[in-house]
Amino acid sequence: MTADESELRELRASVREFLDSKSPEEAVRKLMESEPRFDPAVWAQAADQLRLPGLAIPEEYGGDGFGLVELGVVLEEMGRALFCAPFFATVLLAAQALLASGDKEACARLLPGIASGRTTATLAVAEDHGSWDPAMVLARAVPDSDGGWTVRGRKCFVVDGTTADVILLVARTVAGPTLFAVQRDAVGLSAEPMETLDATRAMARLTLDAVPATLVGAQGAGGRIMATVLDIASVGLAAEQAGGARRCLETSADYARVRHQFGRPIGSFQAVKHKCAEMLAQVELAEASSREAARLADEDSPDFPVAAAVAHACCSRAYMVAAMENIQVHGGIGFTWEHPAHLYFRRAKSSQLLFGGPAVYHERLLDRLGI
Amino acid sequence: MEQDMQDFAVEARRFLDAHVAKALDRTAFTWGEGDDSMAYFSSLPPEEEHEHVQRARAWQRIRHENGFGWITGPAEYGGRGLTPVHDLLYDAVESEYDVADTGVLSVIGLGMIGPTILAHAQPHIKDRWLPAMYRGDAIACQLFSEPGAGSDLASVATRAVREGEDWVLNGQKVWTSVAQHSQIGLALTRTNPDAPKHRGMTAFLVPMDTPGVEVRPLRQMTGGADFNEVFLTDVRIPDDHRLGEVDGGWTVALTTLMNERATVGSEGVGPVAAALSPDHLSALMRATWTWDDRALRARLAELLVDVLATEHLNARALHKLRAGVAPGPEMSVSKLMYGQNLTRAAHFVSDVLGPRIIADTGQWGTYAWTELLLATPALRILGGTEEIMKNILAERVLGLPKEPVTAAAREVRP
């Protein structure tokens, strides 16, 4: 299904209205210091009232069957509001990994719960070194005697890793990197929260000691699945980043209009004005690259992989620039704990490096261009 | 609206298919083959330049005869009476075809001066010049900038003094594009040195063959002469060639500047398209054995992110146009990025080439990049400096307050 422009505007307006009332700054600040780092009641409302978790899940699995364009609108708004919820891990990482696996049985088993908001999930790939490259995975899976599998190893930087009901993870088998599903209450699984630069996005370290796991997709298909998932997830992340960057720009421009120094608004000084204009240029590029990539994904265009790499790099930089300059425009007040600018700075830096950082995504872009 | 736009695009395509070929992919190339020119500005010999202007005129005439010569103009002067969005959409469709470059006519004359004449000239002046301009017969230039008045246009010092039914103009204009080909010029002059500077200017339409008008080519740092100096010595202009009120020239100038059109789809054409092409840039790295230099690869990736993101910005503007929506700030951002991307590409290539850009070894596709390198400083100045562009974005899009007017700026500089 595809929403037209006015439906997208309507979707944006309703998500923004919801987040304005359920995720104002006070709520974000309270949640980022609590465990779990989201409010289950608000999450249930997002599912029941707005049907957000199922938005981009196919109808056959209980969702509404929209695409990355619609998901992008929701993620832009969540990025603006720094919404603390298991949406990113569940809907973007886990659900997309299930869909990319092509495993209809696993999809039928897990996606309806995700679509309804009753099940939260995540995707665990990176280990101590932080790389999302499946070739770097050390965790191992071996078949057990009764047709199942057991996994041993460690996973790091697992978003919502202490709360997700289902953990999809990549482990090595003799056939190569392979995707598995592990239940939260599985014997041998322990999860400890990691201290995070961005406290609005919870991460965990998992230890897997002969944990029973279910194979998802074909043995050895983990590399192919992850290539698809990373493209989609980085475009989703790009939307979040574009939303956050737009919020930083708006905050800066609002402040520059009203804050007076030397007897006039600081926004009338060319140095400040040009800083804001440069932020605007970055934000416009970020929105264009992430929205265009989402459109190409939904059209199954062969240009999508390049566009995904561009969106990831462009939005990572744009958000970082906007978050830094936002503090600069606010001056000393922008450097205080009380001001929200640092929350965006933390999110921007953390997002920039989540899937490996500039050195990784630059090579990914060149690779996609055949260079 | 959307359907109307689709119909218009189909009509434009039908017209173009009947008259011209589809454009070749200018970024496709084989290393070491063909022309390796990287010129942004043309530095053609006079005969070739003349031919170029004739081709532009011929194509404009065909456009005009088929209803695409003046898409937004009123029917009484030969226009089509459609919206600026139709105009932009036509440009976008036309960019897919291999047509003569009509920039010499359109960038200043048809895009900026035509609408100004329409808004401010007397009826018989409109009758005399508007159809001629949009048919490709008359080329117009903008006699605004002066040595002492660039970005601060209200500082013009060229004097116009009333003598009976005429005005006598004296002064010097500069950076005047296409003046050497023009039949008319729109001059901004000072008529009241005692008034505040914005309120003492008057605009005139100057036939360029009037005695006392002298056009001198202005050689640029690229070595070519795209611009001119125009000297006005006792140039006698009838009062009916005045545009707008006496001392009301600022309003007229604003009409001109506001019509400085954003052009969709005109970017990335010509030889400089290669400067932004991933294929060309990677081939250059292969040819210079810098292929696996990690630092250069990282810079290439960063450059390509900007180039491709700017393409996405343009693509989204085009989607909007096709849906009948005028593009917003993305067009100004796109212009800003185009200059910056070319500048960064030129410096990136300089670092890849090393000494081969400081002296010509004769190797294909190396020293030729000096043509682009030397054009890049102008890209940050022409059509409004980068600083002015940023002021416009900040003030018009973000609503930031204007710089307060200082006492010095209020003074009149005759």
Side-chain angles (χ1 to χ4, degrees):
Chain A
M1 277 200 352
T2 309
D4 64 24
E5 281 302 322
S6 71
E7 288 168 322
L8 289 177
R9 270 198 301 277
E10 223 168 275
L11 173 65
R12 185 183 298 281
S14 59
V15 175
R16 188 172 295 188
E17 192 187 342
F18 179 81
L19 293 174
D20 281 348
S21 75
K22 306 294 181 190
S23 180
E25 190 188 330
E26 316 85 83
V28 170
R29 284 180 181 270
K30 199 170 136 237
L31 286 172
M32 73 187 199
E33 289 176 340
S34 61
E35 191 62 39
R37 285 195 206 169
F38 70 98
D39 182 340
V42 171
W43 175 244
Q45 286 167 343
D48 298 342
Q49 293 169 20
L50 299 179
R51 301 172 62 84
L52 295 184
L55 185 75
I57 287 174
E59 284 162 303
E60 59 181 308
Y61 301 124
D64 288 335
F66 286 100
L68 204 45
V69 167
E70 293 79 11
L71 199 55
V73 168
V74 174
L75 285 161
E76 277 185 31
E77 291 305 313
M78 289 180 173
R80 267 183 85 86
L82 297 173
F83 183 43
C84 297
F87 190 87
F88 185 83
T90 304
V91 175
L92 200 64
L93 298 178
Q96 292 299 333
L98 283 165
L99 289 167
S101 75
D103 185 331
K104 288 189 163 26
E105 197 277 321
C107 287
R109 183 160 39 88
L110 295 171
L111 285 176
I114 288 176
S116 72
R118 302 293 168 257
T119 305
T120 66
T122 189
L123 175 62
V125 183
E127 300 179 356
D128 291 354
H129 44 64
S131 170
W132 280 67
D133 181 350
M136 302 282 279
V137 164
L138 295 176
R140 292 191 64 89
V142 290
D144 58 22
S145 49
D146 47 1
W149 293 77
T150 55
V151 180
R152 283 181 194 277
R154 282 153 61 86
K155 291 288 169 187
C156 268
F157 310 101
V158 182
V159 181
D160 296 325
T162 61
T163 54
D165 301 319
V166 178
I167 297 148
L168 291 156
L169 58 83
V170 177
R172 289 166 62 194
T173 68
V174 287
T178 303
L179 190 65
F180 292 93
V182 166
Q183 294 296 318
R184 152 106 277 118
D185 53 8
V187 177
L189 173 69
S190 65
E192 51 174 324
M194 295 171 83
E195 187 178 328
T196 50
L197 173 67
D198 167 20
T200 62
R201 179 129 57 207
M203 290 187 183
R205 186 184 294 113
L206 308 184
T207 308
L208 300 115
D209 183 13
V211 176
T214 312
L215 179 68
V216 176
Q219 266 192 66
R224 184 185 53 73
I225 294 169
M226 278 311 300
T228 305
V229 173
L230 262 185
D231 278 347
I232 293 172
S234 58
V235 172
L237 180 64
E240 232 196 53
Q241 291 168 314
R246 173 66 76 179
R247 181 62 172 267
C248 289
L249 168 65
E250 287 173 3
T251 314
S252 289
D254 287 348
Y255 188 70
R257 279 192 291 267
V258 298
R259 167 72 170 170
H260 278 64
Q261 291 283 266
F262 306 101
R264 54 172 164 133
I266 60 169
S268 70
F269 288 97
Q270 205 172 55
V272 175
K273 200 173 274 191
H274 286 189
K275 205 176 272 305
C276 292
E278 281 156 21
M279 289 166 79
L280 172 68
Q282 290 289 316
V283 169
E284 289 284 333
L285 285 176
E287 284 177 356
S289 64
S290 76
R291 292 175 185 179
E292 195 65 4
R295 189 181 68 79
L296 292 168
D298 289 350
E299 289 174 2
D300 265 331
S301 164
D303 296 334
F304 171 63
V306 169
V310 170
H312 184 32
C314 181
C315 295
S316 293
R317 184 198 52 195
Y319 196 5
M320 204 58 244
V321 168
M324 287 195 297
E325 298 296 27
N326 185 35
I327 295 177
Q328 184 68 13
V329 169
H330 281 82
I333 190 91
F335 186 65
T336 60
W337 185 266
E338 285 69 26
H339 198 278
H342 74 102
L343 303 178
Y344 289 88
F345 182 95
R346 289 163 181 276
R347 174 64 77 86
K349 181 50 86 180
S350 166
S351 300
Q352 180 184 37
L353 296 165
L354 182 60
F355 295 138
V360 170
Y361 54 64
H362 284 154
E363 274 304 323
R364 193 172 168 84
L365 171 64
L366 295 181
D367 178 58
R368 294 298 165 81
L369 286 165
I371 296 174
Chain B
M1 191 66 177
E2 193 154 352
Q3 185 52 45
D4 169 42
M5 285 294 152
Q6 298 302 347
D7 292 347
F8 180 75
V10 168
E11 191 204 326
R13 219 172 278 282
R14 200 178 298 132
F15 155 63
L16 289 159
D17 283 334
H19 289 85
V20 283
K22 280 272 193 180
L24 299 173
D25 179 2
R26 292 185 177 86
T27 61
F29 82 111
T30 307
W31 184 260
E33 281 180 17
D35 186 3
D36 66 351
S37 167
M38 282 289 154
Y40 181 86
F41 294 107
S42 73
S43 305
L44 297 172
E47 317 81 63
E48 280 181 48
E49 177 88 14
H50 179 74
E51 271 175 40
H52 173 84
V53 172
Q54 291 314 110
R55 275 198 300 275
R57 289 193 143 124
W59 176 236
Q60 179 62 27
R61 181 181 285 269
I62 294 172
R63 270 188 195 141
H64 185 80
E65 285 165 355
N66 287 274
F68 295 98
W70 194 11
I71 289 164
T72 59
E76 54 181 315
Y77 299 114
R80 183 81 180 268
L82 298 175
T83 68
V85 179
H86 287 90
D87 203 15
L88 288 166
L89 181 55
Y90 175 79
D91 285 350
V93 173
E94 202 197 64
S95 72
E96 297 165 21
Y97 291 81
D98 190 19
V99 299
D101 174 6
T102 50
V104 65
L105 289 153
S106 60
V107 175
I108 312 277
L110 307 187
M112 298 163 71
I113 297 183
T116 309
I117 293 175
L118 181 67
H120 299 286
Q122 297 193 23
H124 76 280
I125 298 290
K126 292 184 196 175
D127 285 336
R128 165 73 187 85
W129 290 108
L130 288 176
M133 286 172 71
Y134 288 94
R135 207 168 47 231
D137 295 344
I139 296 177
C141 64
Q142 189 190 13
L143 300 167
F144 280 14
S145 293
E146 297 183 2
S151 294
D152 180 14
L153 201 53
S155 292
V156 296
T158 291
R159 294 291 308 272
V161 177
R162 182 126 201 187
E163 282 187 15
E165 281 305 291
D166 293 341
W167 293 81
V168 177
L169 277 54
N170 276 287
Q172 184 200 343
K173 299 291 179 177
V174 74
W175 303 305
T176 321
S177 302
V178 308
Q180 72 274 38
H181 306 297
S182 291
Q183 282 67 50
I184 44 172
L186 178 63
L188 197 57
T189 67
R190 180 143 318 275
T191 39
N192 187 351
D194 301 323
K197 63 180 190 173
H198 286 82
R199 299 200 198 121
M201 298 190 296
T202 305
F204 295 97
L205 202 60
V206 177
M208 296 296 279
D209 57 3
T210 312
V213 177
E214 189 198 347
V215 177
R216 293 186 202 159
L218 182 65
R219 196 171 185 211
Q220 304 142 202
M221 69 175 267
T222 48
D226 290 74
F227 305 129
N228 302 274
E229 297 175 294
V230 179
F231 292 84
L232 305 169
T233 311
D234 294 331
V235 176
R236 192 167 277 273
I237 299 295
D239 184 58
D240 66 3
H241 281 55
R242 172 167 49 79
L243 267 61
E245 303 297 317
V246 173
D247 295 345
W250 184 241
T251 312
V252 179
L254 284 182
T255 308
T256 311
L257 296 177
M258 275 159 57
N259 279 296
E260 197 164 4
R261 293 189 317 170
T263 48
V264 179
S266 66
E267 290 174 6
V269 300
V272 293
L276 303 176
S277 141
D279 286 350
H280 196 133
L281 293 169
S282 64
L284 181 71
M285 287 180 78
R286 277 204 187 87
T288 51
W289 302 96
T290 53
W291 178 248
D292 53 3
D293 182 312
R294 292 187 67 83
L296 286 174
R297 285 177 73 81
R299 279 180 57 201
L300 175 64
E302 281 179 14
L303 171 63
L304 292 177
V305 167
D306 277 326
V307 169
L308 296 170
T310 307
E311 279 179 17
H312 289 159
L313 201 63
N314 293 337
R316 293 196 65 81
L318 207 54
H319 301 320
K320 284 192 187 174
L321 286 171
R322 296 229 156 96
V325 181
E330 59 266 45
M331 294 321 301
S332 305
V333 173
S334 175
K335 179 180 184 271
L336 201 63
M337 290 306 297
Y338 182 60
Q340 290 186 1
N341 290 345
L342 278 176
T343 302
R344 287 174 56 197
H347 288 280
F348 168 73
V349 169
S350 302
D351 289 355
V352 169
L353 290 174
R356 278 166 287 203
I357 206 160
I358 60 177
D360 191 356
T361 61
Q363 192 187 350
W364 188 93
T366 58
Y367 191 70
W369 284 87
T370 53
E371 295 172 287
L372 179 64
L373 182 67
L374 289 170
T376 54
L379 295 174
R380 306 180 59 197
I381 299 166
L382 57 84
T385 62
E386 219 168 80
E387 289 70 21
I388 294 285
M389 293 289 296
K390 286 181 187 172
N391 284 352
I392 290 171
L393 281 174
E395 288 166 14
R396 299 203 192 144
V397 181
L398 299 176
L400 296 186
K402 286 188 183 301
E403 198 104 8
V405 179
T406 60
R410 264 187 232 110
E411 260 174 39
V412 182
R413 274 187 284 167

